[in-house]
Amino acid sequence: MTAPVFVVDKVPGVGEFVLDGAEGRHAVSVKRLRADERVTLTDGAGNWADAVVVAAEGKDRLVVRVTSAAAEEEPAVRITVVQALPKGDRGEVAVETMTETGVDAIVPWQASRCITQWKGERGAKSLAKWRGTAREAGKQSRRVRFPEVGEALTTKQLAPLLAGADLAVVLHEDRDHPSGALATAELPASGEIVLVVGPEGGVSPEELAVFAEAGARPYRLGPSVLRTSTAGTAAAAVLLARTGRWS
């Protein structure tokens, strides 16, 4: 089994280090780690270190000995998922599974057909939940580079993001639409893929027109219609496999 991951502000160099605070409490009181067990420390930005537990002290202090430190290279092809806001807690489900799958960035999208609205304090709390979910899912899936969760954008604000991508994809919910299949789309060897996932009500014709003008093309994922909270994860898995990141 791979070592559990804990987040630190700055990855320490070789030598003794004390993990305390919330992460130390989780290691000592929840994971109940003991001497000689291995852990991974990361800043969530690709820097990480291997360490061995020296001792657990009290309820929230884990003394470890860092044995090596390294940095994970940026992927040749980055995958950003633009996720329309789902109802209820399905947004956190989408973020959790996309993080576990391996996406590099998630952008919340206030689509015209979204029932959920992120405004004011509610919007700030929802965004904080998405970011917290990405952090926890990153730890659970043993990642050392967590996905960035950006500010919620409108359709107009998304256009520059799509225009700057090496490949911009809009998942089309109509399985009979004459669009191409994502499984056979021509992918860039390097750069940025931006994948747009619409709301349960679908992407409006007006939004499709804005995206098309920015260079985005509609693609079908498969013969079945997925929910907005699962479509991004399934599409990301297709892309990760095809770009060689799962090889």
Side-chain angles (χ1 to χ4, degrees), residues 5-215:
V5 173
F6 297 95
V7 181
V8 293
D9 292 332
K10 183 179 180 181
V11 175
V14 174
E16 195 167 283
F17 177 77
V18 176
L19 183 69
D20 54 13
E23 292 292 275
R25 186 175 305 108
H26 186 241
V28 175
S29 300
V30 179
K31 301 292 288 186
R32 297 186 180 278
L33 295 177
R34 295 294 180 263
D36 297 328
E37 293 190 81
R38 303 196 68 84
V39 298
T40 298
L41 306 177
T42 183
D43 59 3
N47 301 300
W48 58 281
D50 280 329
V52 178
V53 176
V54 175
E57 301 176 349
K59 296 181 179 180
D60 60 0
R61 283 174 57 88
L62 191 75
V63 182
V64 301
R65 184 177 69 258
V66 176
T67 56
S68 64
E72 181 181 85
E73 292 184 4
E74 285 269 11
V77 180
R78 278 177 49 89
I79 298 174
T80 295
V81 177
V82 174
Q83 174 66 58
L85 306 181
K87 297 180 292 184
D89 63 355
R90 287 192 170 274
E92 287 96 274
V93 172
V95 171
E96 180 179 55
T97 55
M98 286 191 289
T99 299
E100 292 171 354
T101 303
V103 304
D104 302 293
I106 300 168
V107 178
W109 172 34
Q110 189 70 67
S112 63
R113 293 177 176 173
C114 285
I115 296 174
T116 299
Q117 299 287 318
W118 280 13
K119 294 181 179 179
E121 185 178 349
R122 176 181 179 179
K125 287 182 178 179
S126 297
L127 179 58
K129 283 184 179 180
W130 280 35
R131 287 174 171 167
T133 298
R135 172 187 166 107
E136 293 307 310
K139 290 171 57 180
Q140 185 277 329
S141 55
R142 309 297 198 260
R143 290 183 63 172
V144 296
R145 188 183 299 278
F146 303 162
E148 307 156 12
V149 180
E151 298 286 337
L153 300 182
T154 64
T155 299
K156 183 178 179 180
Q157 291 170 328
L158 280 177
L161 178 65
L162 297 174
D166 296 278
L167 174 65
V169 171
V170 181
L171 288 185
H172 205 287
E173 75 281 359
D174 186 354
R175 65 184 176 189
D176 297 320
H177 190 273
S179 54
L182 186 62
T184 58
E186 185 175 349
L187 305 182
S190 61
E192 184 92 18
I193 297 177
V194 178
L195 178 74
V196 179
V197 179
E200 298 291 357
V203 182
S204 73
E206 295 78 14
E207 289 165 337
L208 282 173
V210 171
F211 295 158
E213 188 174 351

